[in-house]
Amino acid sequence: MNIKVDELSGLPAAAAEILEFLKSHNQKFVILRGEMGAGKTTLVKEIIKQMGAEDEGSSPTFSLVNEYFSVNYGAIYHFDFYRINDEEEALDIGIEEIFEEDAYVFIEWPERIENLIPQGIVSLSIKVENKTRNIELELV
């Protein structure tokens, strides 16, 4: 699935399409790839907002993980592994237990924990061309 976002005002519609994709494919685990500044955190914030989470999503860069709760979707975890040095740091925060939960999981910089990522998930890539964000979703 491909989505184009030309302006920030198009972000809510893109987030709604992504949520629909997740629901229609019965998926809760999403890895996000894209350059620094591509809009990964901004997109996750909008998805979390549309999920009706109690807290507004923020970049978890300094805490590695933010946890949210939605009455309609349950537990939601947003990880940002940009600042970790190795997979051991992810294991130290209990990532394996979180991955076993029946929760929505969004991971930025998944290449930092590549060996810990489960199979059968959604890969979301954001590529920036001029000011357009091209979002590609695929099951991997």
Side-chain angles (χ1 to χ4, degrees), residues 71-86:
V71 172
N72 297 322
Y73 292 88
I76 304 164
Y77 294 93
H78 178 198
F79 293 91
D80 186 331
F81 288 121
Y82 180 73
R83 296 193 187 280
I84 69 167
N85 295 313
D86 57 44

Side-chain angles (χ1 to χ4, degrees), residues 71-117:
V71 172
N72 297 322
Y73 292 88
I76 304 164
Y77 294 93
H78 178 198
F79 293 91
D80 186 331
F81 288 121
Y82 180 73
R83 296 193 187 280
I84 69 167
N85 295 313
D86 57 44
E87 292 177 347
E88 192 65 36
E89 288 182 57
L91 292 170
D92 288 345
I93 64 168
I95 195 169
E96 290 176 310
E97 292 83 13
I98 292 171
F99 286 2
E100 291 174 7
E101 287 184 33
D102 183 25
Y104 280 83
V105 175
F106 297 92
I107 297 180
E108 295 183 46
W109 302 102
E111 57 274 10
R112 307 282 173 119
I113 61 158
E114 203 73 50
N115 295 317
L116 303 176
I117 300 290

Side-chain angles (χ1 to χ4, degrees), residues 31-44:
I31 58 172
L32 295 96
R33 298 184 190 274
E35 298 175 4
M36 180 75 76
K40 296 178 298 294
T41 299
T42 303
L43 180 58
V44 172

Side-chain angles (χ1 to χ4, degrees), residues 3 11-23 27-28 30-32 39-57 68 70 73 76-78 104-107 122 124 126 135 137:
I3 303 168
L11 196 58
E17 283 187 63
I18 292 166
L19 271 176
E20 188 56 41
F21 180 90
L22 295 177
K23 286 190 272 186
Q27 294 291 320
K28 294 185 173 184
V30 181
I31 58 172
L32 295 96
K40 296 178 298 294
T41 299
T42 303
L43 180 58
V44 172
K45 282 174 150 181
E46 182 60 33
I47 293 169
I48 290 170
K49 178 181 172 185
Q50 290 197 18
M51 293 173 90
E54 294 174 0
D55 299 309
E56 180 180 317
Y68 306 93
S70 163
Y73 292 88
I76 304 164
Y77 294 93
H78 178 198
Y104 280 83
V105 175
F106 297 92
I107 297 180
V122 173
L124 185 154
I126 303 175
I135 301 168
L137 289 160

